[in-house]
Amino acid sequence: MEIQVLEARSSKGYRKKVCAYCRVSTDALEQENSLENQIAYYENLIQSNPEYEYAGVYYDFAISGYKEKRPGLQKMLTDARNGKIDLIYTKSVSRFARNTAIVLKASRELKELNVGIFFELQNINTLSSQGELMLTILAAFAQAESESGSIGAKMVYQRKYEQGIPVQYLERCFGYTKNEKGEFVPDTEQAKWIVKIYEMVAEGYSLSAIADEMNAAGVKTDKGAGWVESTVKRILENEIYKGDYIMHKNYVNEERKLVRNRGEVDAWYIEDDHPPIVSRQLWDKAQEARKKKRDYLDMDCQIREVTEENYPYKGRLFCAKCGSPLTHRIYSNGNRMSWDCSGRRRHGKDFCTGIHVPDTAVRQWKFDGNIYISIKDSRKSIKEFSYTKESSWSRRHKKKEFVREVPEFTEENYPYYRSIFCAECGSRLVRHIKKHGDIVWECNGRKRKGATYCEGVRIPDRVVQAFMPIRKAIYIKERKGRNGTKHYSYSCKKPERATRKEQG
Ligand SMILES: [Zn+2]
Ligand SMILES: [Zn+2]
């Protein structure tokens, strides 16, 4: 029996049909990009590869200022649909088209036909897995361009892209340096501190305790500043330290600033993007410790109107350090409440280092009468408190008296005293010394002629000082905001009432 051997239609022996696409500048000065040069270059490049079959060079003329018509590109797409092309060579994304959306549309359509585009500068084939990532990035460019009309973002990204720098690595952060490719590489010295931060949090230390530790060790942030709670918090929330990366966590806005992405552009989470500094176990442990603290603070923390009915201990809590009453404070966007030393709040930390008791803690205590609260000296996140009755506290302590030294009434101490006036009646503001030596400036009109003459203004000296330096006379107005807060504003315009008086 004769066996006919059929040659397998394997990829072996099959040569890919490869073409090139270029945009040719009509600018005569750009000799190296002339059409002849480019055709010669691609012809040579493709024909020198034995696996390739030369399928020609397609091109369009790039005429600046005109809406681009692209007969070359259209022809190439038609030929690709007809199976005449397997792979397209092109210089780079920006040389393919000025508008990223065009590149993206063409790449996607070709990809469906299983035709790849090879971008030489980026060294990426759209059919490869890297190419998939690149198309994603291109989609983001296109979206950013169309949504914000942002030429700035496009320019910054594309310039980076042209230089072969992955765009996701525009950002910098403490703990990492970058290699010549722009990839994150752990910085040995800083990485030690990152690990330490995560370990301390996992052990229950508070963010402020960690910030203190960093400052005491003389470590500076990547911006060369000292550490505060929020810098530590940002480090703990950054997945970069476990080796992951969120592309487009930040993006470049119209003002060419790198800003936080709040849904303006798509973001992608990339796992194992670069070498981690903290293990996934440690990262999780730290997050658990933080969650534990949040849960503790969230416990029964529905905030009601602050009345004695809702908070029977209101007015009965005191600071054991200075004896001042604790007053409530609502924070974390209205989600949490605490009782804080009013002495520190009013007179500063020289007077009392303060005390801050979460309302959730007070709720669990059983007591009647006034109590004096102290805090166990600990740097852990979840604090321990103890409290004593007023009688036993008073036996051992005395309430601290705050007396501020009042600066003498001289022009040197109050250089503005002649230029501040009431915006309502135009009267001069005069100095008044309150209990404890706090200084306020009050409308002299009201003071002398009563509330029917002028409702008056009372402004703390520190606010006046914040308005300075001012060279002209200013007229100050006081407004009551919600929650009894006061706002002050000033203008250089004399009130009408005062002007009329002068004329009359
Ligand atoms: Zn206090
Ligand atoms: Zn007045």
Side-chain angles (χ1 to χ4, degrees), residues 199-210 293 296 375-385:
E199 281 173 353
M200 284 182 80
V201 168
E203 282 165 33
Y205 284 91
S206 68
L207 302 188
S208 64
I210 294 169
K293 186 190 174 186
Y296 166 75
I375 187 164
K376 205 176 146 208
D377 194 22
S378 143
R379 304 192 306 154
K380 296 285 166 105
S381 230
I382 295 174
K383 306 275 181 197
E384 286 172 56
F385 300 97

Side-chain angles (χ1 to χ4, degrees), residues 108-365:
R108 281 186 173 152
E109 189 182 338
L110 289 163
K111 201 176 161 179
E112 265 172 40
L113 298 166
N114 204 29
V115 176
I117 304 178
F118 180 73
F119 295 96
E120 292 177 270
L121 254 172
Q122 285 90 24
N123 193 25
I124 286 176
N125 184 332
T126 51
L127 295 185
S128 70
S129 59
Q130 264 184 314
E132 189 51 52
L133 180 62
M134 186 178 106
L135 290 183
T136 318
I137 297 170
L138 288 182
F141 291 162
Q143 197 178 352
E145 280 166 30
S146 69
E147 280 181 1
S148 61
S150 163
I151 305 298
K154 181 186 166 190
M155 296 295 281
V156 170
Y157 281 139
Q158 279 199 343
R159 209 168 304 132
K160 293 281 174 195
Y161 224 93
E162 287 291 311
Q163 293 160 6
I165 301 170
V167 282
Q168 59 263 50
Y169 300 144
L170 284 169
E171 299 140 61
R172 51 169 54 253
C173 68
F174 185 87
Y176 281 104
T177 53
K178 290 179 201 166
N179 64 13
E180 63 287 350
K181 283 195 218 142
E183 296 160 344
F184 285 120
V185 180
D187 172 292
T188 333
E189 192 48 42
Q190 290 184 354
K192 277 187 221 152
W193 291 107
I194 295 290
V195 173
K196 171 134 191 159
I197 289 173
Y198 274 83
E199 281 173 353
M200 284 182 80
V201 168
E203 282 165 33
Y205 284 91
S206 68
L207 302 188
S208 64
I210 294 169
D212 290 347
E213 180 97 12
M214 300 296 280
N215 290 327
V219 185
K220 294 268 177 264
T221 68
D222 55 328
K223 293 195 180 90
W227 294 76
V228 290
E229 280 181 46
S230 60
T231 15
V232 180
K233 186 163 166 256
R234 267 202 299 280
I235 286 195
L236 291 166
E237 285 170 356
N238 200 340
E239 64 298 317
I240 214 156
Y241 297 112
K242 57 171 168 169
D244 296 350
Y245 186 80
I246 296 178
M247 193 197 310
H248 276 164
K249 194 173 185 176
N250 302 295
Y251 74 106
V252 179
N253 70 5
E254 289 122 276
E255 281 127 43
R256 289 168 158 253
K257 276 195 204 126
L258 195 66
V259 294
R260 192 64 157 211
N261 176 10
R262 302 194 190 281
E264 292 87 347
V265 297
D266 284 351
W268 294 274
Y269 195 102
I270 304 164
E271 274 190 350
D272 298 321
D273 174 81
H274 54 270
I277 290 178
V278 295
S279 66
R280 285 183 192 273
Q281 294 94 301
L282 179 55
W283 206 85
D284 291 344
K285 235 175 120 187
Q287 308 306 327
E288 259 164 48
R290 296 191 65 211
K291 186 176 177 296
K292 209 166 130 193
K293 186 190 174 186
R294 277 196 298 272
D295 289 349
Y296 166 75
L297 289 173
D298 287 342
M299 218 173 17
D300 187 28
C301 81
Q302 196 201 348
I303 297 170
R304 280 152 281 211
E305 200 193 331
V306 187
T307 59
E308 257 167 71
E309 204 171 33
N310 290 330
Y311 299 91
Y313 40 85
K314 178 178 184 267
R316 286 160 52 186
L317 310 173
F318 293 84
C319 170
K321 288 179 194 166
C322 70
S324 303
L326 302 188
T327 48
H328 77 277
R329 182 166 74 98
I330 292 167
Y331 62 106
S332 188
N333 297 323
N335 293 315
R336 295 206 176 120
M337 185 168 144
S338 65
W339 299 89
D340 296 10
C341 169
S342 61
R344 179 190 160 119
R345 197 183 282 181
R346 291 182 50 188
H347 312 303
K349 62 171 185 274
D350 290 339
F351 175 74
C352 177
T353 49
I355 189 164
H356 164 93
V357 193
D359 186 58
T360 49
V362 185
R363 264 172 194 279
Q364 297 167 40
W365 301 341

Side-chain angles (χ1 to χ4, degrees), residues 422 424-427 443 445-446 454 456-457:
C422 169
E424 198 188 324
C425 70
S427 302
C443 166
R446 179 192 164 116
C454 176
V457 56

Side-chain angles (χ1 to χ4, degrees), residues 15-187:
R15 294 198 301 156
K16 273 189 183 169
K17 293 173 220 123
V18 181
C19 73
Y21 175 74
C22 56
R23 269 197 319 155
V24 187
S25 171
T26 49
D27 191 340
L29 292 172
E30 260 191 80
Q31 265 308 311
E32 59 181 309
N33 289 326
S34 74
L35 185 57
E36 293 76 23
N37 278 340
Q38 293 201 50
I39 291 176
Y41 166 78
Y42 284 116
E43 204 176 341
N44 179 34
L45 182 80
I46 296 166
Q47 285 182 336
S48 65
N49 189 329
E51 289 175 16
Y52 289 172
E53 184 186 321
Y54 179 59
V57 172
Y58 298 81
Y59 59 88
D60 283 301
F61 288 101
I63 306 166
S64 58
Y66 287 87
K67 196 164 188 255
E68 292 178 19
K69 278 187 190 147
R70 307 174 150 263
L73 179 65
Q74 295 312 325
K75 172 103 180 33
M76 183 173 74
L77 291 173
T78 308
D79 287 352
R81 280 179 216 121
N82 294 331
K84 293 184 188 168
I85 299 166
D86 297 312
L87 180 66
I88 300 160
Y89 263 72
T90 194
K91 198 87 214 157
S92 70
V93 174
S94 66
R95 294 286 286 280
F96 191 94
R98 197 183 302 144
N99 182 340
T100 318
I102 293 175
V103 188
L104 185 66
K105 191 165 170 271
S107 310
R108 281 186 173 152
E109 189 182 338
L110 289 163
K111 201 176 161 179
E112 265 172 40
L113 298 166
N114 204 29
V115 176
I117 304 178
F118 180 73
F119 295 96
E120 292 177 270
L121 254 172
Q122 285 90 24
N123 193 25
I124 286 176
N125 184 332
T126 51
L127 295 185
S128 70
S129 59
Q130 264 184 314
E132 189 51 52
L133 180 62
M134 186 178 106
L135 290 183
T136 318
I137 297 170
L138 288 182
F141 291 162
Q143 197 178 352
E145 280 166 30
S146 69
E147 280 181 1
S148 61
S150 163
I151 305 298
K154 181 186 166 190
M155 296 295 281
V156 170
Y157 281 139
Q158 279 199 343
R159 209 168 304 132
K160 293 281 174 195
Y161 224 93
E162 287 291 311
Q163 293 160 6
I165 301 170
V167 282
Q168 59 263 50
Y169 300 144
L170 284 169
E171 299 140 61
R172 51 169 54 253
C173 68
F174 185 87
Y176 281 104
T177 53
K178 290 179 201 166
N179 64 13
E180 63 287 350
K181 283 195 218 142
E183 296 160 344
F184 285 120
V185 180
D187 172 292

